[in-house]
Each structure stands twice: as C-alpha cells, then as structure tokens.
Amino acid sequence: MNGTGPTPPRIRVLIADDQPLVRRGLSLILSPDPSFEVVGEAEDGAQAVTLARRLRPDVVVMDIRMPVLDGVGATGEIAATVPGCRVLALSTFDLDEYVVGALRAGAYGFLPKDSSPEDLGAAIRTVHAGEAVVAPRLLTRLISTHVRAPSDARPAPTGLAGPGELTPREVDVWRLMATGLDNTEISRALGISLSTVKNYITSIFGKLGVRDRAQAVIAAYESGLVTARAD
C-alpha cells in the first residue's frame, strides 16, 4: 500500500461560450488536469440550459454575452432547475453590468476572460466547494457601478434590513463587507475575531435572504445602506 487515500471524483464541467475558439481553448486548459472532466460544450445560453439539465455538471463556465439566451437568463434557469450545479460567469469586461445580473440570478462567481489558467482552475474548485469567487474590491467596484438604490430608498437603519432584523453590529459588518473589505479586514476594523465575523456574515445572509457575499453587497447598494462614490 502506498498510503494515499482514494482519488476524489473529478469535477464535471460544462463550457458555454458562443465563440468556438474560446470553448476549445477552455477545454484544452481543463482537460489535462485530472481534477476536471469537460462533459460538454454549449454555443449559446439555451443550449447551456439543455445540456446542464441532461448532463448534470458540477460547474458551468458561462460566458455572459451569448445569443439566443444570454448568460444571465441561462444562469437563472440552471440555478432554478439543476440542483447542485454551480455557475461561474465569464466576461471580457471587468465592470460588465451583465455580471451583476448573473450574480443576482444565482452565479457563484465571476472571472474576467483574461484570467490565467491557474486562476480558472482555482475558481472552478472554489465554486464547486460552494464558495463565491469574486475579489471583494472588484465586486464592490462592479456593483457600485451598476446598482443604484431606488430614489425613495433610505439607508437601512440599525435593527432592520431586508426581510429580517439585523442587530447594530450586523449592520456594521454588512456595511464594511459592501465597501470591499474581506473578512480579515472586517475583523481588524471592528476589533473582533475572524470566527465572530464569519458568524455575523452567516446570520446576515440568513436575515437578508441572500445566498452569498455578492448578493449581500448588491442588497446593500439597493437598500441605500451604502452608495457609490462619485469618480
């Protein structure tokens, strides 16, 4: 016996992009890695939905701007009808408003198309593990550019935000999260432990009725808790 444990199952990946060369390139990047199995390729959002329902991949690498059905619509349909399948959105542009739509629709993360092969592999693994993939400050720039509160929105008061009541400390954590701080930075800013920050964030997600950090930041801008700074 060599003492090694069983080989973990490969992550089944569906690639969706309207450009054949991009699809082929992504497949060639992922296929040599024993962690991944490319189970299919889709040339538009409608085909991505059909293949996701039939092939049941673990992760869909989804171009946001595609014909027939764009990546936002496809993400929403996959999130609603293919349990356990997670979407990683791809875009040519860092500040693409379509990415915000995809995050709202249920994408677990966003990666620019000029990311390295190593970043792509790491992002797929992270999304497969159920965690969000968006650098906190990029997320804040993206959302502050494309999300605005309604004209009658007021900053969420301490004690009330979204469908559940937040404590004053939870509102502090939510605000700092929305300004681009990661968990370690929030811990330092508030003088509390990292585990306490994580507990607060879990509670915030539950009370806001959101799934992840990206959706919580969107909610913060939509509620007026934070506002975009003028350039």
Side-chain angles (χ1 to χ4, degrees):
M1 297 182 63
N2 59 16
T4 60
T7 303
R10 291 190 290 177
I11 300 172
R12 292 163 47 81
V13 180
L14 172 65
I15 296 169
D17 196 292
D18 62 327
Q19 299 181 45
L21 284 176
V22 173
R23 292 198 304 274
R24 189 61 180 157
L26 292 172
S27 181
L28 289 172
I29 287 170
L30 297 175
S31 294
D33 191 321
S35 302
F36 305 118
E37 178 185 3
V38 177
V39 297
E41 298 179 12
E43 63 185 22
D44 58 57
Q47 189 176 56
V49 174
T50 298
L51 290 177
R53 289 170 176 167
R54 177 161 61 86
L55 300 173
R56 301 284 163 167
D58 299 308
V59 176
V60 179
V61 178
M62 179 84 73
D63 184 26
I64 293 301
R65 295 175 180 266
M66 290 189 291
V68 184
L69 177 66
D70 65 26
V72 176
T75 295
E77 292 200 28
I78 290 171
T81 62
V82 189
C85 179
R86 299 183 171 112
V87 174
L88 174 65
L90 294 183
S91 175
T92 305
F93 310 104
D94 282 357
L95 299 180
D96 189 343
E97 63 183 317
Y98 278 57
V99 173
V100 176
L103 294 171
R104 278 197 180 107
Y108 269 73
F110 153 66
L111 208 61
K113 279 191 174 180
D114 60 359
S115 298
S116 69
E118 293 77 16
D119 286 345
L120 174 64
I124 291 173
R125 291 184 182 93
T126 301
V127 165
H128 180 245
E131 300 175 15
V133 177
V134 189
R137 286 187 174 82
L138 175 57
L139 175 65
T140 302
R141 286 177 57 218
L142 176 69
I143 292 172
S144 66
T145 301
H146 296 295
V147 177
R148 294 290 183 273
S151 57
D152 59 349
R154 297 178 180 179
T158 54
L160 240 191
E165 292 188 355
L166 269 65
T167 66
R169 183 59 102 185
E170 287 170 343
V171 172
D172 290 340
V173 171
W174 186 26
R175 182 181 291 107
L176 292 175
M177 188 195 318
T179 59
L181 272 62
D182 63 25
N183 290 359
T184 300
E185 292 167 330
I186 294 172
S187 169
R188 291 172 182 159
L190 297 180
I192 57 180
S193 71
L194 188 58
S195 61
T196 300
V197 172
K198 292 177 179 177
N199 290 337
Y200 277 132
I201 289 174
T202 298
S203 177
I204 290 165
F205 288 176
K207 290 180 178 180
L208 293 177
V210 301
R211 192 204 58 225
D212 58 29
R213 197 180 201 94
Q215 292 185 349
V217 175
I218 290 172
Y221 279 87
E222 289 179 332
S223 72
L225 177 72
V226 291
T227 56
R229 294 190 299 267
D231 292 332

